[in-house]
């Protein structure tokens, strides 16, 4: 299968290792991965803060970039950005009054998947040949869980990793408090939510906290670092790429 990588701004600028790991996993499974150079931000930050009209040019750019990729599927290592495309693009394109954009989005959106959603739901693959002999806990991010409804797909992938000691996270479905600009606009509330989440992470005794979104992991990782907790954060793709 020919797969286009939708990298996201955060992975592209701050966590390139997540993009490389995603490519490693997909290529190990025998897929051809292409990277449309024209891609930029998906527009989530604009749309979620009320600047919906300003996000339309980014919807148009996404459509132009990925239409030209000739891919069977578009895969993204982020539940948050995938949810932006799958949940908001159709409405934004319709509101723009641009029939051509609406048609492009209608054709593209069903082929856009978060990584675990693609592996388990579309390919039916749970064992990607990974080995990671460490104690790990998994945080299901809000957009993956509530908007994309990936369910236990990430956990099924993690359970198939050789040598892993996967431990359950208390109150796992509670938000970590990041929420994009929520953390900036509501810093005190965000910090309180993070404090609760970190207590649950530390209670597991895990060496690594993983998730399917670099944004949440950045938030969690900052808190763990300030506590000098000795717990690493790693994206799900990095564990799946490990051998």
């Amino acid at each position: 299968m020919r797969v286009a990588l939708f990298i996201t701004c955060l992975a592209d600028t701050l966590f390139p290792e997540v993009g490389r790991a995603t490519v490693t996993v997909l290529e190990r499974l025998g897929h051809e991965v292409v990277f449309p150079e024209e891609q930029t931000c998906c527009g989530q930050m604009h749309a979620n803060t009320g600047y919906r009209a300003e996000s339309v040019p980014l919807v148009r750019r996404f459509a132009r970039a990925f239409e030209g990729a000739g891919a069977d599927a578009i895969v993204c290592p982020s539940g948050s950005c995938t949810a932006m495309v799958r949940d908001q693009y159709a409405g934004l394109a319709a509101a723009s009054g641009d029939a051509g954009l609406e048609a492009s989005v209608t054709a593209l959106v069903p082929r856009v998947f978060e990584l675990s959603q693609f592996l388990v739901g579309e390919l039916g693959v749970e064992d990607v040949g990974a080995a990671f002999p460490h104690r790990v806990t998994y945080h299901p991010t809000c957009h993956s869980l509530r908007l994309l409804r990936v369910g236990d797909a990430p956990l099924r992938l993690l359970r198939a990793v050789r040598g892993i000691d996967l431990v359950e996270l208390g109150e796992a479905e509670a938000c970590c408090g990041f929420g994009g600009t929520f953390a900036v606009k509501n810093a005190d509330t965000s910090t309180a939510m993070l404090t609760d989440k970190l207590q649950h992470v530390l209670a597991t005794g895990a060496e690594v906290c993983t998730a399917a979104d670099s944004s949440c992991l950045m938030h969690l990782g900052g808190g763990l670092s300030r506590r000098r907790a000795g717990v690493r954060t790693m994206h799900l793709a990095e564990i799946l790429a490990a051998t």
Side-chain angles (χ1 to χ4, degrees):
M1 187 180 292
R2 182 178 169 91
V3 179
L5 176 63
F6 169 29
I7 187 61
T8 82
C9 303
L10 207 59
D12 188 37
T13 56
L14 296 178
F15 305 103
E17 64 276 11
V18 173
R20 287 194 288 269
T22 303
V23 173
T24 296
V25 172
L26 292 171
E27 289 186 340
R28 188 190 298 156
L29 294 173
H31 302 290
E32 177 192 4
V33 182
V34 295
F35 183 78
E37 296 279 353
E38 194 182 353
Q39 63 179 292
T40 56
C41 173
C42 65
Q44 181 183 182
M45 191 69 78
H46 309 66
N48 287 356
T49 49
Y51 294 93
R52 294 181 64 79
E54 287 78 0
S55 68
V56 171
L58 294 165
V59 175
R60 186 172 287 110
R61 189 180 185 94
F62 179 96
R64 186 169 62 241
F66 285 96
E67 274 180 335
D72 303 298
I74 300 162
V75 173
C76 176
S78 164
S80 180
C81 298
T82 305
M84 170 63 187
V85 174
R86 291 187 68 104
D87 274 24
Q88 299 205 48
Y89 268 27
L92 290 166
S96 75
D98 182 338
L101 178 61
E102 195 172 354
S104 296
V105 166
T106 299
L108 277 174
V109 164
R111 289 188 278 134
V112 181
F113 303 98
E114 181 274 331
L115 178 61
S116 70
Q117 186 183 42
F118 179 68
L119 295 174
V120 177
E122 293 303 303
L123 301 181
V125 172
E126 295 183 13
D127 186 348
V128 298
F132 192 73
H134 298 282
R135 189 175 177 90
V136 175
T137 195
Y138 168 69
H139 165 60
T141 65
C142 293
H143 284 174
S144 294
L145 194 67
R146 291 180 250 281
L147 291 181
L148 288 183
R149 296 180 176 84
V150 300
D152 66 349
L155 286 170
R156 291 164 71 174
L157 290 161
L158 288 168
R159 289 183 190 122
V161 173
R162 287 151 187 78
I164 198 168
D165 178 11
L166 186 62
V167 289
E168 185 175 354
L169 180 64
E171 296 188 21
E173 296 186 4
C175 175
C176 70
F178 180 62
T181 56
F182 174 84
V184 177
K185 294 177 178 176
N186 304 278
D188 291 344
T189 304
S190 172
T191 300
M193 295 168 75
L194 175 64
T195 299
D196 289 346
K197 177 63 69 174
L198 294 183
Q199 287 174 346
H200 289 296
V201 171
L202 295 175
T204 65
E207 303 167 65
V208 174
C209 177
T210 190
D213 270 285
S214 295
S215 53
C216 302
L217 289 172
M218 181 175 66
H219 191 55
L220 292 166
L224 290 166
S225 175
R226 285 191 291 276
R227 288 184 178 216
R228 302 181 187 276
V231 182
R232 291 181 288 156
T233 54
M234 288 180 70
H235 192 281
L236 173 66
E238 295 179 273
I239 293 177
L240 299 181
T243 54

